[in-house]
């Protein structure tokens, strides 16, 4: 026969409780704790001040609120042990004592540390608070209450985070919509402040999104931006993914790191601007470039909006026309008739140095010198096919503008 193993002391009592019932705390224990609520609250605040450096650095107002939270926690514990029929303590009321703004000043990790200190204070006085022989029941009640109050803190912070996330998403959509429409609202500053945005310079990226669910993509973009210490606001406008990047002096390099999160097709990077209020100019350039990008199938990914100036100008983009006329045609015109004639002839002759020399009756070195001068004045190299196309477009636009004038 198998020998019967005697049960451990107390095991039958715990088995009888099950997982959903609690053994009532002795009435005398409850009375003792009720009489000690004031001193317990004071002891908890003193312990927080001694053990939590972040608590000592808080403002007097926030310290006062946390003192109320500590007292509410002890009061909730007393109420819970007085009513053993309750499965869980009404612990949400503990954190509901403080204003919602306190959740921003106190992180979840700090809230858990605070709960640990309060529970330690109560647990350290179990022998004094419990009725004779009831110490174990009180100690077990403290442990259960500590677990439930920690879960409650997590729930409060989770709800706050969800509400904050939903509000931030609406604000981001509002900012992106304003930039796409080209608005310069004063409220952009307040919106940016609400999003903790203070970065400069700012650049806007425009591309496509793969699929209908934008949230996971935008979350990944935010995570990637955080890893490179950049600020990011993103939104979807009619199938276009608009990303506002802040804090980068090299938006092209930053865009290359984010390109894999965009959908298929071109990505266009607008020029850097001073701040968020000026970002509508970068957004306008990026969206204009995205619109005409199919005209340049071999465009790099990402491409800058300036690389697409010829296509944008041909599409009727007034900004692109002005840039090409101001920064390419007018410097050529100021360089002298010979310079402009040499470039025009060179482009008409299929970028042939020898044919240009013969047409102009000059030495080949003269042609080379003038072409180098074109590069110095405009930043474009006539011998490069893409740059030559841009210069040719600028000359045409400049001539048309001069005729209209």
């Amino acid at each position: 026969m198998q020998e019967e193993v005697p049960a451990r002391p107390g095991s039958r009592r715990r088995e009888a409780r099950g997982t959903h019932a609690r053994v009532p705390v002795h009435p005398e224990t409850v009375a003792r704790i009720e009489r000690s609520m004031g001193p317990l609250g004071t002891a908890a605040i003193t312990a927080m001040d001694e053990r939590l450096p972040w608590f000592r650095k808080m403002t007097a107002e926030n310290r006062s609120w946390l003192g109320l939270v500590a007292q509410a926690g002890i009061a909730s514990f007393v109420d819970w042990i007085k009513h053993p029929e309750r499965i869980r303590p009404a612990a949400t009321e503990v954190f509901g004592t403080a204003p919602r703004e306190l959740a921003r000043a106190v992180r979840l990790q700090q809230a858990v540390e605070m709960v640990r200190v309060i529970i330690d204070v109560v647990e350290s006085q179990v022998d004094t608070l419990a009725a004779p022989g009831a110490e174990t029941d009180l100690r077990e009640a403290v442990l259960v209450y500590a677990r439930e109050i920690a879960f409650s803190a997590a729930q409060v912070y989770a709800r706050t985070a969800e509400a904050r996330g939903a509000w931030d998403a609406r604000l981001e959509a509002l900012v992106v919509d304003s930039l796409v429409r080209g608005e310069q609202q004063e409220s952009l500053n307040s919106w940016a402040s609400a999003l903790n945005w203070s970065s400069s310079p700012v650049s806007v990226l425009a591309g496509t999104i793969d699929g209908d669910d934008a949230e996971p993509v935008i979350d990944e973009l935010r995570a990637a931006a955080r890893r490179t210490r950049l600020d990011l606001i993103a939104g979807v406008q009619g199938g276009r993914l608009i990303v506002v990047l802040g804090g980068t002096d090299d938006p092209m390099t930053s865009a290359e790191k984010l390109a894999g999160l965009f959908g298929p097709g071109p990505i266009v990077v607008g020029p850097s601007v001073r701040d968020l209020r000026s970002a509508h100019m970068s957004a306008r350039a990026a969206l204009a470039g995205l619109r005409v990008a199919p005209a340049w199938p071999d465009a790099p990914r990402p491409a800058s909006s300036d690389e697409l100036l010829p296509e944008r100008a041909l599409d009727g983009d007034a900004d692109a026309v002005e840039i090409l006329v101001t920064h390419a045609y007018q410097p050529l015109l100021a360089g002298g008739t010979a310079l402009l004639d040499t470039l025009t002839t060179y482009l008409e002759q299929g970028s042939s140095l020898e044919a240009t020399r013969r047409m102009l009756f000059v030495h080949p070195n003269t042609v080379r010198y003038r072409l180098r001068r074109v590069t110095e004045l405009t930043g474009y190299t006539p011998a490069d096919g893409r740059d030559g196309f841009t210069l040719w477009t600028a000359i045409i636009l400049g001539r048309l503008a001069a005729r209209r004038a």
Side-chain angles (χ1 to χ4, degrees):
M1 291 179 60
Q2 187 176 1
E3 185 178 355
E4 186 175 333
V5 179
R8 297 190 312 273
S11 62
R12 191 176 304 278
R13 184 179 63 179
R14 290 189 180 90
E15 183 180 352
R17 295 181 192 182
T19 58
H20 299 291
R22 294 183 295 112
V23 171
V25 176
H26 197 283
E28 185 180 343
T29 300
V30 176
R32 290 186 178 190
I33 297 176
E34 284 184 313
R35 289 194 298 268
S36 304
M37 283 178 59
L40 283 174
T42 303
I45 295 171
T46 302
M48 287 193 293
D49 192 65
E50 293 174 352
R51 294 171 53 179
L52 305 177
W54 56 265
F55 179 77
R56 294 193 295 270
K57 296 177 183 178
M58 298 188 78
T59 64
E61 182 181 7
N62 284 340
R63 285 164 58 93
S64 175
W65 277 116
L66 287 180
L68 291 178
V69 170
Q71 293 174 358
I74 296 171
S76 176
F77 174 63
V78 172
D79 182 66
W80 180 62
I81 60 177
K82 286 174 65 177
H83 301 87
E85 71 278 1
R86 294 181 181 175
I87 297 175
R88 297 182 185 279
T92 307
E93 298 174 0
V94 175
F95 295 95
T97 303
R100 183 176 298 178
E101 291 77 10
L102 191 62
R104 300 181 185 179
V106 180
R107 300 192 307 272
L108 176 58
Q109 179 182 355
Q110 293 172 335
V112 173
E113 291 175 354
M114 181 181 69
V115 170
R116 182 183 291 118
V117 170
I118 297 172
I119 296 302
D120 285 349
V121 168
V122 176
E123 195 172 13
S124 67
Q125 300 189 34
V126 163
D127 293 337
T128 304
L129 297 172
E135 292 84 357
T136 301
D137 288 339
L138 179 56
R139 190 168 283 110
E140 289 184 3
V142 169
L143 292 176
V144 173
Y145 182 77
R147 181 190 65 187
E148 297 300 337
I149 203 76
F151 285 147
S152 173
Q155 289 174 352
V156 169
Y157 276 81
R159 284 197 297 269
T160 302
E162 288 175 2
R164 175 72 180 177
W167 174 247
D168 285 353
R170 288 193 292 271
L171 265 185
E172 287 192 23
L174 197 58
V175 169
V176 170
D177 187 58
S178 296
L179 295 179
V180 169
R181 293 203 304 266
E183 297 176 354
Q184 304 179 55
Q185 300 184 33
E186 289 290 339
S187 51
L188 269 176
N189 287 335
S190 60
W191 295 342
S193 177
L195 292 168
N196 294 323
W197 179 285
S198 59
S199 295
S200 63
V202 178
S203 185
V204 177
L205 285 60
T208 61
I209 187 166
D210 194 8
D212 298 327
D213 192 2
E215 273 193 38
V217 175
I218 292 176
D219 287 343
E220 289 187 47
L221 284 168
R222 288 197 194 100
R226 281 195 298 270
R227 286 195 294 270
T228 53
R229 297 183 180 180
L230 298 177
D231 280 337
L232 182 143
I233 295 175
V236 177
Q237 287 274 332
R240 300 170 301 184
L241 179 57
I242 314 297
V243 174
V244 184
L245 273 182
T248 174
D249 294 319
D250 187 1
M252 288 299 297
T253 301
S254 299
E256 289 172 1
K257 296 176 181 178
L258 301 177
L261 299 174
F262 282 76
I267 301 172
V268 181
V269 183
S272 290
V273 293
R274 184 180 65 258
D275 52 30
L276 193 61
R277 284 197 63 192
S278 307
H280 66 281
M281 296 184 289
S282 182
R284 185 167 65 235
L287 292 171
L290 184 65
R291 187 169 56 248
V292 302
W296 185 16
D298 295 329
R301 187 178 190 267
S304 74
S305 57
D306 285 349
E307 291 178 290
L308 289 155
L309 281 173
E311 288 81 5
R312 290 169 53 194
L314 293 173
D315 192 49
D317 182 359
D319 292 338
V321 172
E322 182 181 358
I323 292 172
L324 287 174
V325 171
T326 303
H327 297 285
Y329 177 73
Q330 290 180 356
L332 290 173
L333 200 61
T337 305
L339 190 68
L340 188 58
D341 287 346
T342 300
L343 175 60
T344 304
T345 304
Y346 179 77
L347 295 174
E348 287 176 342
Q349 297 302 314
S351 301
S352 171
L353 189 69
E354 180 62 26
T356 304
R357 179 196 70 79
R358 287 198 306 267
M359 290 292 294
L360 297 177
F361 300 102
V362 295
H363 194 276
N365 286 342
T366 302
V367 178
R368 292 189 182 95
Y369 168 76
R370 291 175 181 174
L371 294 179
R372 283 197 301 270
R373 184 64 179 151
V374 168
T375 302
E376 291 172 1
L377 291 173
T378 66
Y380 294 105
T381 304
D384 179 84
R386 181 71 191 175
D387 283 3
F389 170 57
T390 303
L391 287 167
W392 200 211
T393 305
I395 292 171
I396 295 171
L397 294 171
R399 288 171 175 170
L400 292 174
R403 181 179 181 181
R404 284 192 298 270

